[in-house]
Structures are given as structure tokens and as C-alpha cells.
Amino acid sequence: MINIYEVNETNAMIDKENLDVRTITMGISLLDCADGSLEKVKNAVYDRITSLARNLVKTGEDIGREFGIPIVNKRISVTPVAMVGQSACRSADDYVEIAKILDKAAYEVGVNFIGGYSATVQKGMTRSDELLIRSIPTALSQTGRICSSVNIGSTKTGINMDAVRLLGDIIKETAEATKEMDSLGCAKFVALCNAPDDNPFMAGAFHGVSEADAVINVGVSGPGVVKYALQNLHNADFEELCETIKKTAFKITRVGQLVAQEASKRLGVPFGIIDLSLAPTPAIGDSVAEILQEIGLERAGAPGTTAALALLNDQVKKGGVMASSYVGGLSGAFIPVSEDQGMIDAVKEGSLTIEKLEAMTCVCSVGLDMIAIPGDTSAETIAGIIADEAAIGMVNQKTTAVRIIPAVGKKAGDMVEFGGLLGYAPVMPVNTFDCSAFVNRGGRIPAPIHSFKN
């Protein structure tokens, strides 16, 4: 039974503490759209998306209005396009044609992003995979709503270093192709290790091949709610601190569960998962970094930051899994720099570096996210950063990611502006010692010994 106290509490979380449902993402399988004719593939992809998702945005808006819960984004994820286009696409330009039709479908149904312009190459690249990867700079510069990802490693397979090295070049080319927008294209691309099949958050969302024809996944948020809950606990011990975070995460996830079930019913599409990640925004107070400050740090990056983030991530998961039987995606705490005002402030003040962020990724839900670096950073250095982050994911059996923006014409200390939820970021310095002999070796880094479990 819901009582008046719980109603008032949820209203306060929405009105004063930035609680929202960050995204309703409809996953759509495009496997049936595969064909030897590019035109047939394009027509089938467009028809399938526009028919299944035609009411997605309206449904999200109706639920938000009726329940009084802000639903910020309505999105689509599709089957990794390298699988869909493998028979029809003979060149990178052919894949760009599919990107454009995906973009057209996204505009038609009104979603803000469509993810799945992707390839999964953790053990090796097919010709189709490589063609899609080489098309990414053009595809992201000639579309508005496409998000792209490449899974380059996993705990079971190791790390595909040929793909890692190629992505160093691809990210540089994407930055150059979108340099008039502060290299915005790179903000819509992510390299992943251990990518989940059901992630509703961009840019890494795609509809895994193990998923149903269509599914509704919901990503909740609420770092502002957690921050508010901790404001009066400065003298509390760790037990009370953890209990408060856990209970707050439970309440946040219950809101997402309600929205997910309602969206599933109205759209006639099965409910998939709730991703209970604390996803920050540039809004004041809606910050994971500020939660760390409430826990007791002067700034994110201070000694103790990794321990505090580990505590936060674990309690969010513990609270969330009590609120829903189907928790999935990434789930925990995101630490993007450009999307979190507290992280931006920490970088500006010198308490947070890429190296400290890398340490934090060992215990957070994603990885090096929305980090601007100098535009003259070499492709080899970018590949080395991706390899480091993939190694953390591979060894620790967790998802890690790199979404990094070598901002053309910018140097350390400059600012880049992306707008909206993507925010703005200070350009962070990187270690310039050479790693090219390492990343150019080619081949695959073997899976760790604990991957052998059969």
C-alpha cells in the first residue's frame, strides 16, 4: 500500500532533487532485415523501426505527464549494424547509407538518439565489421542522431588489439570530420569491453542478438536524490551511510520499474530491464562528484575517492536489485566528466586527472567517459588508453568503456562545448610518452586465466 508520505517524498525527489527517468529505450532486432540488396535492407530497416517505434515518444510523454515523472529521453537501440549489412554492404560508403536511413527513421519517430551502429569484434574482425568501423567518421559527421560503438574485448576472449589500434585512427578521423562542432562526433562513439546486450544508455546501446524481436529497457537516474539524502549524515558511520544510499536507490528504482511496466503495457512490447545507474547531468546538484563530496571528500580525485565510489556503486546495486527482479544494463554510478559539474570543477582545480579517473573505473559502472583531450594527441596514444581501460574490464569481469574526444585545435586547459546533456568539458592533459611499439604489435591479448570456466 502506497501512503501519502511516500507520495510526498517522491514529489519532493522530482521537484527539488532532479529525479528523472533518464531514458525509455526500445530495443529492436533488425536481423530479419538482412538481405543481399542494399536497397532492400534500407527499406526493411526503415519500415521496421518506424512501425514498431511510431508511438514510443508519445507514450513516454503521456506517461510522464500522467504520473508527474520527468522522462528525459526516448531512444532506440538496434541489432549491431555490422551483422545486418554483412551481405549487402561492399564498401564503407554502403554502411553510411544504412546510417543515413537509421537517422531518417530516428527523426521520423522523434527519438533523440538511435544506438547500434556497432560491431562486436572482441575476438576478430570480419570484412563487414571492418567496413562498418571505417565508415564511422563519415557516418557520425553526416547524421544527427546516430550513436556508434565497437566492442573490442571481453573476459572470455581477451582484447582484439588490431581493432584497438584501428579505433585510434577512427577516433582521430571522427574528431577531424566534426571539428567545427568541437569534435562532437567523438561524443557519440564509445569503445567497449564486455559490452552488455541490454544497455539503454547511449552511446553504447545496441540490441543484442540474444534479445527478443523488441523490448523496452528503462534507465533511471537520480544522483541529486542521493546527494540530498546524505546532506545530514556528515557525522554518521559507514553503516548508516550505506543504509541510506541503499534505501534511496530502492526508491529511485521503483519509480523506473513503474514507468517501464506502464510503457511495456501501452506499447505492447515486452519489458526487458531497469538500468539503475546514477547518470549525472550538467545541472547543479545532479552530480556523482558531489555525492562523493557529501561522503567526505573535499573534491573528487582526493585520496579516498576510489573507495568512496566503490561504496556508492555497491550500495546503489544492492538497493536497486531489491526494487526490481530485472536489473541489467550497466547499473551503478557513471563518472562522465563533461556531464557532471562536480567532475568539471575537480578537473579545473587540479584534483582529478585521467590517471585517477582510470583508477576510479575499476569500481564504477562504465569507464573513461566524455573526456576531452588535446587535439594533437596521437592515434597510438588513444589506442593505448583504450587498451588500458579494456584490460581493467577484461581482468575484473566488468564492463568498461572509453568515450574520449581529441578536440581539434584545442590544448590542455581549453574548454569544449557540446550542449544539452553532453555538457561542456575542460581539455585534460594526457601522458605523451610513446606507446606505439606496443599498440602496433597486432594480434590479440589473450583472455585471463580466470576466463577458463567450462
Side-chain angles (χ1 to χ4, degrees), residues 396-410:
N396 290 293
Q397 304 180 68
K398 69 184 293 291
T399 302
T400 51
V402 174
R403 187 161 49 145
I404 198 165
I405 302 102
V408 175
K410 304 287 186 178

Side-chain angles (χ1 to χ4, degrees), residues 101-385:
I101 209 70
L102 288 169
D103 202 45
K104 181 181 177 182
Y107 275 97
E108 175 66 24
V109 300
V111 295
N112 65 319
F113 283 126
I114 183 166
Y117 195 73
S118 307
T120 54
V121 298
Q122 54 267 30
K123 199 171 183 182
M125 282 187 289
T126 65
R127 176 177 173 276
S128 179
D129 292 327
E130 184 173 349
L131 288 176
L132 180 134
I133 291 170
R134 292 190 182 279
S135 77
I136 288 171
T138 304
L140 294 183
S141 66
Q142 295 186 6
T143 59
R145 305 192 184 193
I146 298 294
C147 285
S148 178
S149 63
V150 177
N151 193 68
I152 47 80
S154 76
T155 300
K156 291 294 288 183
T157 63
I159 302 170
N160 182 346
M161 289 300 294
D162 292 326
V164 168
R165 178 61 187 87
L166 176 57
L167 289 185
D169 290 327
I170 294 301
I171 290 170
K172 290 283 287 184
E173 291 172 23
T174 304
E176 184 65 32
T178 56
K179 65 182 178 182
E180 303 304 324
M181 299 177 285
D182 276 346
S183 300
L184 176 65
C186 295
K188 295 186 285 182
F189 172 77
V190 60
L192 291 153
C193 179
N194 287 322
D197 285 353
D198 54 8
N199 168 26
F201 285 104
M202 301 298 168
F206 62 82
H207 188 71
V209 295
S210 62
E211 298 287 312
D213 280 340
V215 69
I216 291 292
N217 297 323
V218 168
V220 296
S221 186
V225 180
V226 176
K227 175 181 179 289
Y228 182 84
L230 299 182
Q231 283 182 345
N232 297 319
L233 295 180
H234 293 166
N235 296 318
D237 63 14
F238 281 110
E239 182 179 359
E240 185 177 356
L241 183 77
C242 291
E243 284 298 308
T244 301
I245 296 171
K246 188 165 60 177
K247 290 175 181 176
T248 305
F250 176 88
K251 296 171 188 174
I252 293 169
T253 308
R254 291 300 288 174
V255 171
Q257 176 84 355
L258 173 65
V259 168
Q261 290 176 334
E262 191 66 24
S264 172
K265 181 173 70 175
R266 295 188 187 190
L267 290 165
V269 174
F271 162 53
I273 58 95
I274 297 288
D275 187 316
L276 51 93
S277 297
L278 297 180
T281 72
I284 301 299
D286 201 26
S287 163
V288 170
E290 291 181 23
I291 297 175
L292 301 179
Q293 290 172 215
E294 292 295 337
I295 290 175
L297 305 171
E298 182 180 5
R299 276 283 183 231
T305 295
T306 305
L309 183 60
L311 177 156
L312 173 65
N313 210 53
D314 184 54
Q315 298 309 311
V316 166
K317 290 176 187 289
K318 286 174 177 173
V321 296
M322 289 296 293
S324 174
S325 296
Y326 297 101
V327 171
L330 298 161
S331 292
F334 289 0
I335 53 170
V337 173
S338 78
E339 299 171 12
D340 187 314
Q341 186 61 50
M343 294 289 181
I344 294 168
D345 292 340
V347 172
K348 286 181 177 178
E349 295 178 17
S351 70
L352 193 59
T353 64
I354 287 182
E355 288 75 17
K356 183 59 178 178
L357 280 165
E358 184 180 299
M360 293 163 67
T361 65
C362 295
V363 298
C364 81
S365 288
V366 193
L368 297 172
D369 196 17
M370 289 302 293
I371 295 172
I373 60 174
D376 62 359
T377 304
S378 71
E380 290 84 359
T381 294
I382 293 170
I385 292 170

Side-chain angles (χ1 to χ4, degrees), residues 14-82:
I14 293 167
D15 292 340
K16 300 176 183 177
E17 302 161 26
N18 296 311
L19 174 64
D20 59 49
V21 171
R22 187 57 49 87
T23 180
I24 296 177
T25 300
M26 178 180 284
I28 299 175
S29 173
L30 300 182
L31 290 175
D32 288 348
C33 301
D35 192 274
S37 163
L38 180 58
E39 285 305 311
K40 287 183 179 179
V41 170
K42 289 164 58 178
N43 290 335
V45 165
Y46 183 82
D47 290 345
R48 184 162 179 77
I49 291 171
T50 53
S51 61
L52 280 171
R54 65 186 181 277
N55 294 321
L56 176 61
V57 171
K58 181 181 184 301
T59 299
E61 291 172 348
D62 288 347
I63 293 171
R65 183 169 53 252
E66 292 170 26
F67 287 68
I69 299 168
I71 300 174
V72 180
N73 299 298
K74 298 85 182 175
R75 297 167 171 172
I76 294 169
S77 63
V78 299
T79 307
V81 170

